[in-house]
Amino acid sequence: MPTTDQTALLALQRRALSVLADLAPAAIELGEVFREAGHELALVGGPVRDAFLGRVSADLDFTTSASPDETEALLARWGDAHWDIGREFGTIGARRHGRRNGGEDVVVEVTTYRTDAYDPASRKPEVVFGDSLEGDLSRRDFTVNSMAVRLPELTFVDPFDGLSDLAARRLRTPVAARQSFDDDPLRMMRAARFAAQLGFAVDEDALAAIREMSDRISIVSAERVRDELTKLLLAPVPRPGLEVLVDTGLAEHVLPELPALRLEIDEHHRHKDVYQHSLTVLEQAIALETGPEGPVPGPDLVLRIAALLHDIGKPATRRFEDGGGVSFHHHEVVGAKLVARRLKALRFDKATVQAVSRLTELHLRFHGYGDGGWTDSAVRRYVTDAGPLLERLHRLTRSDCTTRNRRKAERLSGAYDDLEARIAQLREQEELASIRPDLDGQQIMDVLGIGPGRDVGAAYRHLLELRMDRGPLGEDVARQELLTWWEARQAAQG
């Protein structure tokens, strides 16, 4: 009778055979093209791993004994288009149109066997081409990514027993973990990323190596770290990956504001610490993402970063009050600055930096709503200040409630339901999302008899404030209010 492990392996093999049997005929033909030219070709990495997990990869990654120049020539014969992805790294890409065989387009990347590693003082790996498939597989990050299928014969190659690790849902390095991470420190980030993406546990040897050498991540460029962190955050369940980063000390070097939250008790004494609260907020925000047709299609990177980092201003603003209380006054303002600084250091684009910073700054704005009720003017300002981030702000604010007091949670949820209903009502009445003064710039100049300049801007802002406070005025009332303001302004200026 087969053991549990054997049963799991058999299930994986059956699943993989089903997926590999459907491998694009064009890819099989590509293997024949390389074999006829005297070169080896194998499907490697993620596509092979995913086949065993029952997933079909849209893009196919191959490795070959052919040189980059030889690969380019062969891909030119096989495909309808080819391009140089990174000749110095040995990678050439190509596409074959699906109309050739009535299927979908096939996109491939083919890389020459490699055995590269980082120079101890360099941010870039030294690329060294190898001479065997097994040697190429040995340089890969984890055994589950060190499996291959030789083409065109579809021979499975697994020199490091990655299939057993896949069955055990374990991330283990094909060579000694310390050597692997020393060769490419970014693999430490990938361990966290795959823990999130695949839900696999990181092997104890790998965890120990990351703890020992986490500072080596500093030689990797900020852009490459950012890309791994982004993939982690966009995973279906980011929490396990974030816990790997924090528990191993790796986060101290790439996102130090996150582990700093472990020491901070929040002001309501509801949570073990703000770190755990922030992970819960992230999970709740993910649950509120919408489908493709909704206002916040998931996975949404901006919402997820804001949910994770919205409280990072708390360590800098913590104050112990008389009576044993703790306060974090203005932590949202401080946090917005810290978020912007960290995301800039990680080379995130300007739009993402600004959006996450703004959400961090606004995340507490709602909490005055349930106390005494807001005027229509206050609701208009809330919407206007949030601008295009309003739907994300809705979700961030709702997610920020992690109290176990059910009555309090229901009260907060009800208050936000009421706020959203008022926003919808005002929007219907006033086109709230695009609030403008009742007079535009040209009308202001015509009424006041002035040309372009600062006075027009000041008049515009005055009418916008009136619009916020009183709602639509109509052009006649707005014109009279403008003249009254202008007369007072002229008198004040002497």
Side-chain angles (χ1 to χ4, degrees):
M1 175 178 259
T3 65
T4 301
D5 288 345
Q6 290 172 330
T7 301
L9 284 172
L10 287 171
L12 286 173
Q13 290 169 345
R14 283 194 295 268
R15 191 183 299 160
L17 284 172
S18 173
V19 173
L20 292 172
D22 293 332
L23 191 65
I28 305 292
E29 183 181 330
L30 180 61
E32 293 172 346
V33 168
F34 273 75
R35 182 172 63 180
E36 289 171 2
H39 302 295
E40 298 176 354
L41 184 75
L43 184 69
V44 291
V48 178
R49 179 199 69 219
D50 288 347
F52 283 101
L53 294 175
R55 306 170 184 168
V56 178
S57 295
D59 297 335
L60 302 177
D61 297 327
F62 298 88
T63 188
T64 182
S65 59
S67 70
D69 288 343
E70 292 168 330
T71 296
E72 184 174 35
L74 293 173
L75 288 178
R77 287 169 43 195
W78 169 85
D80 297 294
H82 68 278
W83 53 90
D84 184 343
I85 294 176
R87 187 179 301 271
E88 69 274 21
F89 297 104
T91 304
I92 308 296
R95 174 184 289 108
R96 196 176 207 205
H97 296 314
R99 62 176 177 267
R100 284 198 185 189
N101 54 17
E104 297 181 354
D105 286 4
V106 178
V107 177
V108 303
E109 291 185 7
V110 183
T111 302
T112 301
Y113 294 156
R114 280 165 48 179
T115 59
D116 46 277
Y118 269 85
D119 180 277
S122 172
R123 283 178 174 265
K124 295 182 179 180
E126 296 179 341
V127 178
V128 180
F129 295 134
D131 56 10
S132 72
L133 175 59
E134 287 73 14
D136 182 90
L137 295 177
S138 72
R139 75 168 184 85
R140 294 178 181 268
D141 49 14
F142 300 102
T143 59
V144 296
N145 295 328
S146 298
M147 301 180 291
V149 175
R150 291 186 184 275
L151 296 174
E153 59 268 34
L154 292 179
T155 302
F156 179 54
V157 181
D158 184 17
F160 303 102
D161 204 15
L163 192 58
S164 294
D165 288 330
L166 196 67
R169 303 178 65 82
R170 176 176 57 232
L171 291 172
R172 182 174 60 87
T173 55
V175 297
R178 201 185 190 293
Q179 176 188 334
S180 178
F181 298 149
D182 196 51
D183 287 344
D184 184 353
L186 192 66
R187 291 172 182 163
M188 296 186 288
M189 288 290 298
R190 291 199 192 109
R193 190 243 291 184
F194 285 125
Q197 285 184 330
L198 302 175
F200 287 9
V202 182
D203 176 74
E204 281 300 323
D205 287 344
L207 288 173
I210 297 173
R211 292 188 187 101
E212 178 184 348
M213 55 195 304
S214 59
D215 61 336
R216 186 151 165 74
I217 195 68
S218 61
I219 74 165
V220 181
S221 70
E223 290 83 359
R224 297 186 74 203
V225 170
R226 174 204 62 208
D227 290 347
E228 287 297 326
L229 183 61
T230 296
K231 292 173 184 176
L232 188 164
L233 288 171
L234 293 178
V237 185
R239 186 176 191 134
L242 293 168
E243 289 174 338
V244 169
L245 290 182
V246 172
D247 294 346
T248 60
L250 197 57
E252 298 284 354
H253 305 281
V254 299
L255 196 63
E257 295 83 1
L258 184 59
L261 295 176
R262 289 180 298 179
L263 305 178
E264 305 306 318
I265 306 301
D266 89 325
E267 67 266 41
H268 303 297
H269 301 280
R270 292 191 303 262
H271 310 288
K272 181 180 179 181
D273 55 34
V274 181
Y275 166 65
Q276 293 295 335
H277 163 73
S278 298
L279 293 180
T280 301
V281 172
L282 172 60
E283 291 175 327
Q284 295 184 165
I286 291 171
L288 293 177
E289 291 174 339
T290 65
E293 303 304 319
V296 184
D300 187 89
L301 182 62
V302 168
L303 176 61
R304 293 186 181 200
I305 298 176
L308 181 65
L309 301 182
H310 71 285
D311 274 343
I312 67 170
K314 283 188 171 180
T317 58
R318 182 174 65 168
R319 298 291 182 271
F320 295 100
E321 307 291 349
D322 294 339
V326 181
S327 66
F328 302 93
H329 296 308
H330 306 301
H331 76 267
E332 73 279 12
V333 177
V334 173
K337 295 177 181 177
L338 292 175
V339 161
R341 185 184 308 163
R342 175 54 52 196
L343 297 186
K344 287 177 182 176
L346 287 169
R347 303 293 192 269
F348 277 94
D349 62 278
K350 184 177 180 181
T352 298
V353 173
Q354 291 178 338
V356 176
S357 178
R358 187 62 169 155
L359 285 170
T360 303
E361 183 180 3
L362 294 174
H363 83 272
L364 288 183
R365 183 75 65 87
F366 159 74
H367 290 282
Y369 181 80
D371 297 336
W374 285 0
T375 63
D376 286 349
S377 173
V379 175
R380 292 187 194 101
R381 290 180 188 278
Y382 185 79
V383 174
T384 302
D385 288 347
L389 298 173
L390 181 63
E391 291 294 341
R392 288 180 174 124
L393 182 59
H394 285 333
R395 285 154 178 78
L396 176 59
T397 302
R398 286 186 180 276
S399 302
D400 197 23
C401 175
T402 59
T403 178
R404 295 180 181 178
N405 184 322
R406 188 169 65 178
R407 183 175 299 176
K408 185 170 186 178
E410 289 174 351
R411 185 171 69 249
L412 287 170
S413 179
Y416 210 85
D417 288 343
D418 183 69
L419 175 58
E420 288 198 70
R422 287 185 63 191
I423 290 171
Q425 182 180 19
L426 283 172
R427 177 177 283 127
E428 184 177 348
Q429 295 171 353
E430 306 177 9
E431 297 182 1
L432 192 58
S434 56
I435 287 179
R436 298 289 185 273
D438 296 87
L439 302 177
D440 62 24
Q442 185 59 55
Q443 289 172 306
I444 289 171
M445 290 188 286
D446 291 342
V447 170
L448 300 182
I450 60 176
R454 292 182 179 179
D455 286 339
V456 178
Y460 187 93
R461 289 190 292 273
H462 173 70
L463 290 178
L464 181 59
E465 288 291 325
L466 290 178
R467 173 74 171 75
M468 290 283 193
D469 290 336
R470 293 161 53 180
L473 302 175
E475 289 189 13
D476 291 340
V477 174
R479 189 177 293 106
Q480 186 56 51
E481 290 286 352
L482 176 61
L483 290 170
T484 301
W485 171 84
W486 182 248
E487 290 174 3
R489 181 181 175 88
Q490 293 295 97
Q493 292 177 350

